[in-house]
Amino acid sequence: MDVQNFLELFIKELEGNHDLQSYYRLLNNKQRFLWRKAYLEQRLTYVESHLGKTVAAIWDAGCGYGTTAIFFALNGYEVMGNTLEFYYDKINPRLDFWSKYGNLDKLKFEYADLYDLPDSDSRYDIILAQDTLHHLEPAKDAMGIFYRSLKQDGKLIVAEENGGNIFISLKNFRKRGFKKTITYYDERLGKSIVMGNENARCLQTWRQLLKVSGLALADFEYIRFLPPVFFNNRNYQRIIDWEKQTGKKTTLLREVLFFGINFTAVKSI
């Protein structure tokens, strides 16, 4: 199943699932529909393009509602997703919808803290972290877990807010000030959890954190620059292509004004 077909079915699923509607907000505002769809499409396309042809096992770290995990399970990959989200019990019921379109036998979800998962040395070909890294503290420890969990030449593929974006930086500072972590009690696990408090970082900071843990930044792209008003059905793909090319050419612009970054790191040592 390719990305376009998956997104068409995903929109169909959203129409009958109000919990997902409030989370993804694709259908909540017609003026922002194409803008939000483009963001999902670019992230899925980026991950797909970096999987390689011999991938067997994928760990979707912080899988949320499991959408990305479902997509790659439908394409034949073995996928494990973990999350601490309150809506965890609403993930498996989604499989009733998606099992009509492919085999999901290789898909597994766990309610688990990343830092508590059993040792999985060299278990995974790919680790996905989409909107996850800014919640993981200590970040250095999380990178160490990813390093140990990857096979040699395995990849960590990331989609994150661009912490270098001036608007994101201001938004996060207004929300949490200097309080970089929060602690809450998880009743399901029966323990206190420490989480990063929207700790979006710029690419250079991620590069340094990766390097310390033995992961080498291999590729990146900046996405999401133009606001929703620019998108329409006629220019949808042109805008995606233009943003992609602009993000490659204009260093200062992309680092402070693009809202999203996708990047890949490789375990090479």
Side-chain angles (χ1 to χ4, degrees), residues 90-107:
K90 297 181 180 180
I91 298 176
N92 275 327
R94 297 186 65 193
L95 306 187
D96 292 336
F97 175 88
W98 287 104
S99 61
K100 293 179 292 188
Y101 301 101
N103 190 329
L104 296 174
D105 290 346
K106 295 182 179 180
L107 178 61

Side-chain angles (χ1 to χ4, degrees), residues 35 39 131 134 160-177 197-202 206 222-225 254-261:
W35 180 66
Y39 191 49
D131 293 327
H134 61 271
E160 273 284 311
E161 282 189 331
N162 174 20
N165 178 284
I166 56 176
F167 302 107
I168 289 175
S169 297
L170 288 172
K171 177 196 71 173
N172 288 342
F173 185 78
R174 288 180 61 187
K175 181 178 180 180
R176 52 132 166 91
N197 193 5
E198 302 298 331
N199 292 341
R201 295 170 167 92
C202 68
W206 287 125
Y222 285 79
I223 63 173
R224 207 177 219 190
F225 172 56
R254 74 191 185 196
E255 290 179 356
V256 300
L257 291 178
F258 274 65
F259 284 81
I261 47 175

Side-chain angles (χ1 to χ4, degrees), residues 27 34 50 66 77 86 94 108-109 135 160 173 179 192 194 197 201 203 210 230 235-237 240 255 265 267:
L27 304 183
L34 291 175
H50 286 76
Y77 298 102
F86 66 91
R94 297 186 65 193
K108 178 184 178 182
F109 293 110
H135 290 311
E160 273 284 311
F173 185 78
K179 188 177 181 181
S192 294
V194 177
N197 193 5
R201 295 170 167 92
L203 185 62
L210 293 165
F230 281 84
N235 67 13
Y236 176 82
Q237 189 58 51
I240 291 176
E255 290 179 356
K267 178 179 178 177

Side-chain angles (χ1 to χ4, degrees), residues 26-241:
L26 262 177
L27 304 183
N28 295 9
N29 186 317
K30 291 182 179 180
Q31 285 70 40
R32 297 192 172 200
F33 170 75
L34 291 175
W35 180 66
R36 288 179 170 143
K37 178 176 179 287
Y39 191 49
L40 290 174
E41 180 180 332
Q42 288 174 87
R43 290 174 12 145
L44 278 177
T45 300
Y46 181 82
V47 174
E48 184 181 49
S49 68
H50 286 76
L51 286 187
K53 297 181 179 180
T54 60
V55 171
I58 298 174
W59 172 16
D60 190 352
C63 65
Y65 264 107
T67 299
T68 300
I70 290 170
F71 172 66
F72 287 110
L74 287 171
N75 280 287
Y77 298 102
E78 176 190 342
V79 186
M80 190 281 284
N82 77 289
T83 186
L84 289 173
E85 297 288 4
F86 66 91
Y87 47 72
Y88 173 75
D89 291 333
K90 297 181 180 180
I91 298 176
N92 275 327
R94 297 186 65 193
L95 306 187
D96 292 336
F97 175 88
W98 287 104
S99 61
K100 293 179 292 188
Y101 301 101
N103 190 329
L104 296 174
D105 290 346
K106 295 182 179 180
L107 178 61
K108 178 184 178 182
F109 293 110
E110 294 184 23
Y111 188 92
D113 184 0
L114 175 143
Y115 297 97
D116 289 341
L117 287 170
D119 198 355
S120 57
D121 284 356
S122 302
R123 169 73 176 84
Y124 296 101
D125 300 282
I126 298 289
I127 297 176
L128 306 180
Q130 296 185 302
D131 293 327
T132 297
L133 295 190
H134 61 271
H135 290 311
L136 301 180
E137 294 294 343
K140 182 180 177 182
D141 292 352
M143 296 300 171
I145 292 171
F146 292 152
Y147 175 85
R148 293 190 299 275
S149 300
L150 284 170
K151 296 178 182 178
Q152 186 67 16
D153 297 322
K155 297 177 182 178
L156 170 65
I157 305 178
V158 175
E160 273 284 311
E161 282 189 331
N162 174 20
N165 178 284
I166 56 176
F167 302 107
I168 289 175
S169 297
L170 288 172
K171 177 196 71 173
N172 288 342
F173 185 78
R174 288 180 61 187
K175 181 178 180 180
R176 52 132 166 91
F178 293 104
K179 188 177 181 181
K180 294 293 186 74
T181 63
I182 56 175
T183 302
Y184 72 96
Y185 186 78
D186 188 298
E187 293 185 357
R188 189 189 294 261
L189 295 179
K191 58 173 284 188
S192 294
I193 302 289
V194 177
M195 293 187 68
N197 193 5
E198 302 298 331
N199 292 341
R201 295 170 167 92
C202 68
L203 185 62
Q204 291 306 314
T205 301
W206 287 125
R207 186 197 298 269
Q208 292 303 313
L209 282 168
L210 293 165
K211 183 178 180 180
V212 169
S213 300
L215 296 166
L217 186 68
D219 179 77
F220 65 87
E221 69 175 14
Y222 285 79
I223 63 173
R224 207 177 219 190
F225 172 56
L226 294 175
V229 68
F230 281 84
F231 283 80
N232 60 56
N233 287 315
R234 296 185 303 276
N235 67 13
Y236 176 82
Q237 189 58 51
R238 288 202 304 274
I239 287 183
I240 291 176
D241 294 340

